[in-house]
Amino acid sequence: MRDYQNYIDGAFVAGPEAFADVDPTTGRQVAWVHEADAALVDRAVRAARRAVEGPWGRTSVASRAVLLRRIADEIDRRADDLLAAEVADTGKPASVARALDVARAAANFRCFADVVAAEGTESFLQELPDGGQALNYALRKPLGVVAAIVPWNLPLLLLTWKLAPALACGNAVVVKPSEETPGSATVLAEILDAVGVPPGVYNVVHGFGSGSAGEHLVTHPDVDGVTFTGSTATGTGIMKAVAPRVRPVSFELGGKNAALVFADADLDATVAGLTRSVFANTGQVCLCTERVYVERSIFDEVAERLTASARALRLGAPSDAATTTGPVISRAHQEKILRYFAAAEQAGAKAITGGGVPTMTGDLAGGFWVEPTLWTGLTNEDRVVREEIFGPAAALIPFDTEQEAVALANDTSYGLAAAVWTTDLRRAHRVAGRMDVGISWVNNWFLRELRSPFGGTGLSGIGREGGRHSLDFYTETTNVCVTL
Ligand code: NAD
């Protein structure tokens, strides 16, 4: 049985109590996790403060870029350990975790090593009324002690997406991983220690949200900023918690993402793309498609082909090379998804595939499985089409005109991502640009250039991460104005 302790000031620290970490493929406990109480969270924040005010806060950009590349190399070297921790916690297929989660973790550090090393200083030469000049230049300084709160769906990928730019900018970080997925953040502590990241620069506190490590961290008076990825409801609470201290927040929240399929789309590519965008990570990616709007003339064909594709998915053990799809994260999440399945049925939807719990055998019988599910017969008025399910399910809805498709896609309080499937170049640009979202894909999904802006509008978040957008969040600037 694994034992995940907190990591504070360069050392592993037991908590006063421990809770169980469960493998979602079997429902069996795989680890004990040491919950950090308020005193341990305070120790972590103090350690981070000492680090940021010590030599670490004055390191050169060049030396931090070198360190980030060393971390990436060590992630590659320890890939099997990270993989094992991630798979035990999430139940996702090992092949997916290796190619996506672990590979992206290393890529995140390499990307921000490059970005920070290439970043210049903004400067303006100002003409004065008396004929003189003033030179303005903006100094970037670390934001300070950063609290990073991350969810369970892509634990390592999302943690390193925050940690890499935060360290690149010279901050110290206190991470609160999800209570469902404490493993990879803990292994990462060993990796950072091995390459010489100083004590206090990276700290991990384990626990839950309200009344536990999460709340203790975001309400701590000495935290300089909070970067959060998770649900909109939790984000709202965190915003209130930091409001009295007017601290900056960066929020990557939920989504209710649309795909728009036009009659001129390349259907082979579209069906393959939709299969990924609806069912990747068992639908547990904030960017997953849950609303598929299809031009009426090809609606039946798309429904039929996507159904066949969904039925070809193989639910199974992470180590089985044939497995495409894992379980959902927990019993509670499975029950939540099944409540949406019941709501869809009540609203008169037809489940053209799935709609329930599959029969699994052997060890997998105790896991949290959900059938890949597609519905027809729903409209934008139905709750299932308005609220984020965060599971392997989508509604297929027909449209007649481009204008109607755009209106239906934008008829949501979320605004994270959209995918447009068409071979008409002018329509592609026109429709993609009219999506009220942070990321608008054309004929692809989940393609990410890590220097490009990433984030959401509406209930999907505040701010953008990626490339220099991340540097903006993780730094404070002081503009120096000198008369010449
Ligand atoms: P969640 O909001 O329940 O939990 C996220 C994290 O917040 C966990 O670590 C949790 O312990 C912590 N937390 C909960 N309550 C807290 C509180 N009061 N104070 C401080 N911390 C608290 O989200 P989840 O269920 O882990 O993740 C799924 C959600 O994340 C979905 O809504 C999904 O769309 C979203 N998500 C968004 C993105 C994005 O980039 N936009 C990426 C992945 C996931």
Side-chain angles (χ1 to χ4, degrees):
M1 179 88 49
R2 293 158 189 260
D3 187 59
Y4 292 135
Q5 301 197 1
N6 302 286
Y7 183 72
I8 298 172
D9 210 8
F12 285 101
V13 182
E17 284 182 48
F19 60 92
D21 176 21
V22 167
D23 173 355
T25 65
T26 61
R28 289 202 202 107
Q29 185 177 351
V30 286
W32 283 109
V33 189
H34 292 253
E35 184 175 0
D37 59 8
L40 280 183
V41 172
D42 182 55
R43 250 172 84 178
V45 173
R46 283 170 194 269
R49 174 63 60 202
R50 280 194 302 277
V52 89
E53 287 182 356
W56 168 254
R58 298 187 291 278
T59 45
S60 68
V61 167
S63 67
R64 292 199 299 267
V66 167
L67 190 61
L68 260 62
R69 289 199 185 90
R70 271 198 221 130
I71 295 171
D73 293 345
E74 188 67 6
I75 287 174
D76 288 342
R77 208 182 65 76
R78 296 279 309 270
D80 287 346
D81 299 327
L82 287 166
L83 182 79
E86 201 77 329
V87 167
D89 282 355
T90 62
K92 65 179 75 183
S95 55
V96 173
R98 188 180 293 281
L100 174 65
D101 305 63
V102 179
R104 249 300 286 281
N108 284 339
F109 282 99
R110 292 197 176 102
C111 168
F112 284 104
D114 291 344
V115 168
V116 77
E119 184 67 10
T121 305
E122 194 178 20
S123 64
F124 297 96
L125 195 57
Q126 186 180 359
E127 306 292 335
L128 302 178
D130 65 1
Q133 290 180 316
L135 175 65
N136 291 263
Y137 59 93
L139 290 176
R140 276 191 192 273
K141 301 169 174 176
L143 178 58
V145 175
V146 174
I149 313 247
V150 282
W152 45 258
N153 60 328
L154 303 167
L156 181 64
L157 186 159
L158 292 170
L159 164 57
T160 52
W161 180 238
K162 298 178 182 308
L163 184 61
L167 298 191
C169 296
N171 298 284
V173 180
V174 182
V175 174
K176 210 296 282 171
S178 168
E179 55 274 31
E180 308 283 359
T181 53
S184 51
T186 314
V187 176
L188 198 61
E190 297 169 8
I191 290 173
L192 268 60
D193 184 57
V195 300
V197 172
V201 172
Y202 175 68
N203 306 274
V204 182
V205 291
H206 290 298
F208 304 84
S210 295
S212 181
E215 186 179 333
H216 300 322
L217 183 56
V218 297
T219 54
H220 195 290
D222 207 26
V223 163
D224 294 309
V226 179
T227 174
F228 169 72
T229 300
S231 65
T232 301
T234 306
T236 311
I238 291 176
M239 202 163 189
K240 285 184 191 152
V242 301
R245 291 175 290 118
V246 198
R247 298 291 79 209
V249 292
S250 173
F251 283 171
E252 305 287 358
L253 307 177
K256 187 72 186 175
N257 311 301
L260 283 68
V261 184
F262 290 92
D264 57 35
D266 169 345
L267 280 197
D268 288 343
T270 303
V271 170
L274 287 173
T275 307
R276 285 185 65 229
S277 78
V278 175
F279 299 116
N281 210 40
T282 322
Q284 302 168 118
V285 182
C286 53
L287 304 163
C288 272
T289 302
E290 295 193 3
R291 301 179 290 143
V292 185
Y293 299 104
V294 186
E295 195 159 350
R296 198 176 298 276
S297 60
I298 56 161
F299 186 83
D300 290 345
E301 188 181 356
V302 169
E304 204 173 293
R305 291 178 65 169
L306 193 55
T307 296
S309 198
R311 288 188 181 149
L313 295 171
R314 286 285 157 266
L315 278 60
S319 56
D320 185 341
T323 300
T324 59
T325 308
V328 299
I329 191 69
S330 62
R331 180 71 69 204
H333 193 50
Q334 182 198 39
E335 286 167 357
K336 178 184 157 191
I337 293 168
L338 294 177
R339 283 196 294 277
Y340 279 112
F341 284 15
E345 203 179 319
Q346 266 173 15
K350 179 178 171 201
I352 54 175
T353 188
V357 175
T359 307
M360 305 300 281
T361 55
D363 285 351
L364 303 183
F368 316 130
W369 302 91
V370 175
E371 285 178 333
T373 296
L374 296 168
W375 296 292
T376 57
L378 290 169
T379 72
N380 270 23
E381 303 313 310
D382 293 309
R383 196 163 68 85
V384 187
V385 184
R386 304 208 73 80
E387 297 176 10
E388 183 187 47
I389 301 170
F390 216 57
L396 273 61
I397 297 173
F399 68 84
D400 292 302
T401 64
E402 180 182 309
Q403 204 179 8
E404 184 192 3
V406 169
L408 285 168
N410 284 339
D411 174 24
T412 171
S413 37
Y414 289 101
L416 192 54
V420 182
W421 298 90
T422 178
T423 53
D424 178 332
L425 186 62
R426 279 187 290 183
R427 169 181 278 153
H429 288 284
R430 193 168 58 226
V431 174
R434 288 179 64 194
M435 294 292 98
D436 295 334
V437 295
I439 308 118
S440 197
W441 282 294
V442 177
N443 295 331
N444 68 75
W445 177 79
F446 207 73
L447 201 53
R448 291 277 301 117
E449 153 59 67
L450 302 182
R451 292 168 299 179
S452 64
F454 178 89
T457 66
L459 293 186
S460 293
I462 294 179
R464 293 292 181 271
E465 296 184 336
R468 63 177 175 77
H469 301 274
S470 294
L471 304 190
D472 286 343
F473 179 74
Y474 292 107
T475 51
E476 282 288 10
T477 50
T478 299
N479 185 67
V480 178
C481 177
V482 191
T483 46
L484 300 179

